[in-house]
Amino acid sequence: MNRTTVGGPELGGGRGAGGVLVLVDPDGAGNSPVAELLARDLTPSVHLRTDDFLRVIRSGHLPPHLPEAAHQNTTALAAAAQAAFAYATRGYQVVVESPAVPAALDTFRRESRTTGAALHYVVLHPGPAPEDLTHTLDTTTHTPETTAAAVLTALAQHTHLLGW
């Protein structure tokens, strides 16, 4: 089923428009299988992993947790955001998988404003979300399949929409 042409959930807001979903899993709640399921259900789709943008740095790569890796991490996230919105502006539904809340989420917001493509942001979290963590989805009782279904429902309702 092509959800972009039959009125099902999509990231771009209707009529086959593309959009970007940043899917975050700070506590290992299972975003890889969820991201795969979402990319399968949203058509046409692209699945990007922010870690891949760090792994392609060959010379001068630093472990991302080090303070001196800030420039490297910001550059990799900017590249991920630009790639995601390049696909989205051409009609693709893009799921960006991130193991941590992107420090440069503003980069994604800026790309959304620049391109006009929708930006959604969901943080998977086992249990009630801490007060400082917004746009969360409690995954305590969810399988990857039910989590993906809950995300699709939230997308249709624009629950996690950050910008256009």
Side-chain angles (χ1 to χ4, degrees):
M1 173 198 295
N2 183 334
R3 292 179 183 259
T4 64
T5 59
V6 296
E10 64 179 70
L11 305 176
R15 297 179 304 278
V20 175
L21 165 64
V22 177
L23 186 68
V24 179
D25 185 7
D27 296 317
N31 76 347
S32 283
V34 172
E36 286 291 331
L37 289 166
L38 289 168
R40 184 193 69 202
D41 285 347
L42 297 164
T43 303
S45 68
V46 174
H47 177 189
L48 300 174
R49 295 175 178 90
T50 57
D51 285 352
D52 291 343
F53 287 85
L54 286 169
R55 274 185 270 230
V56 296
I57 299 171
R58 294 293 178 236
S59 179
H61 181 271
L62 299 169
H65 67 278
L66 296 177
E68 56 269 26
H71 176 73
Q72 162 194 283
N73 298 345
T74 301
T75 302
L77 275 172
Q82 290 169 358
F85 283 94
Y87 281 111
T89 58
R90 286 158 182 87
Y92 287 88
Q93 312 302 316
V94 184
V95 179
V96 179
E97 178 183 335
S98 181
V101 175
L105 190 57
D106 283 342
T107 302
F108 285 89
R109 283 188 170 122
R110 196 168 28 259
E111 289 294 322
S112 175
R113 283 191 301 272
T114 300
T115 63
L119 171 63
H120 301 266
Y121 175 61
V122 177
V123 179
L124 302 181
H125 190 273
E131 289 182 25
D132 63 335
L133 201 57
T134 59
H135 291 276
T136 59
L137 178 63
D138 182 354
T139 61
T140 304
T141 61
H142 291 269
T143 64
E145 292 78 15
T146 58
T147 300
V151 170
L152 288 173
T153 298
L155 292 174
Q157 299 168 350
H158 301 296
T159 303
H160 301 290
L161 184 65
L162 281 185
W164 292 96

